[in-house]
Amino acid sequence: MHVTHEPRDVEQVATLGPDPLDPAFTVDRLAELLSDRNQQLKGLLRDQRRVAGIGNAYSDEILHAARMSPFTRAGSLDHQGVQRLHTALHDVLRAAVDEAAGRPAAQLKDAKLRAMRVHGRTGEPCPVCGDTVREVSFADSSLQYCHTCQTGGRALADRRMSRLLR
Ligand SMILES: [Zn+2]
């Protein structure tokens, strides 16, 4: 039997969500993706089937730029909120692409980390408001956020702890 890898590759591509820097990724398209979803924004942004190409680091950065809690339910955003998230998505990813342009591969990781405002910066001052960047730990990862910029001053529960306490 003759087997190639092509069908599987095609399938993987087909299950990817839209590229957020594609001009077709409009505010309306994002609104569609978010509507009626109970998923938290942090999880949704990282979900490659919803939006392609955003990992743990850039989802932290996008939510900080949008001034939104990572735990906000996607479906709860009003139109203004969707617009703000769309702008943040675009600005953060565009800046990342510009930052990477023309750099040798060996410098990319450093440049990426230097450009981060909250991701990987637990305990450092938020570059927007000066408050301390906080962290929420999960079993296999963590997220960083600024509680003045993103959660109205409320500290988010540490999910790893909550699970133990439940
Ligand atoms: Zn802040």
Side-chain angles (χ1 to χ4, degrees):
M1 193 174 134
H2 181 70
V3 178
T4 72
H5 292 292
E6 270 170 38
R8 199 215 248 173
D9 290 344
V10 168
E11 190 185 348
Q12 281 175 346
V13 170
T15 59
L16 275 182
D19 172 358
L21 288 179
D22 189 310
F25 191 77
T26 58
V27 174
D28 287 344
R29 186 75 206 277
L30 179 62
E32 248 169 67
L33 276 179
L34 301 173
S35 68
D36 296 330
R37 255 175 225 296
N38 203 27
Q39 201 175 1
Q40 293 169 335
L41 289 177
K42 172 77 180 175
L44 186 140
L45 288 176
R46 288 183 65 183
D47 186 341
Q48 303 300 310
R49 291 165 303 168
R50 306 276 171 244
V51 193
I54 302 173
N56 193 29
Y58 286 118
S59 54
D60 280 352
E61 294 299 300
I62 289 163
L63 290 166
H64 179 256
R67 306 176 72 88
M68 289 176 187
S69 165
F71 296 158
T72 296
R73 301 284 168 188
S76 73
L77 293 188
D78 58 13
H79 187 67
Q80 257 188 333
V82 175
Q83 260 174 337
R84 215 159 79 225
L85 183 60
H86 186 267
T87 302
L89 260 161
H90 197 267
D91 289 355
V92 167
L93 296 175
R94 186 82 257 166
V97 169
D98 291 348
E99 180 74 22
R103 272 182 207 275
Q107 288 178 17
L108 279 181
K109 197 172 176 200
D110 260 10
K112 178 180 160 179
L113 291 177
R114 264 201 311 277
M116 296 284 160
R117 295 176 155 201
V118 288
H119 182 77
R121 299 204 177 276
T122 308
E124 294 180 36
C126 167
V128 173
C129 73
D131 197 354
T132 305
V133 173
R134 286 152 209 261
E135 175 173 296
V136 180
S137 300
F138 302 89
D140 56 351
S141 68
S142 61
L143 65 82
Q144 283 84 39
Y145 72 104
C146 168
H147 83 173
T148 294
C149 289
Q150 294 174 256
T151 59
R154 285 188 314 275
L156 297 174
D158 186 315
R159 291 302 160 112
R160 194 166 45 188
M161 286 302 292
S162 319
R163 203 171 304 150
L164 289 173
L165 294 171
R166 202 177 291 152

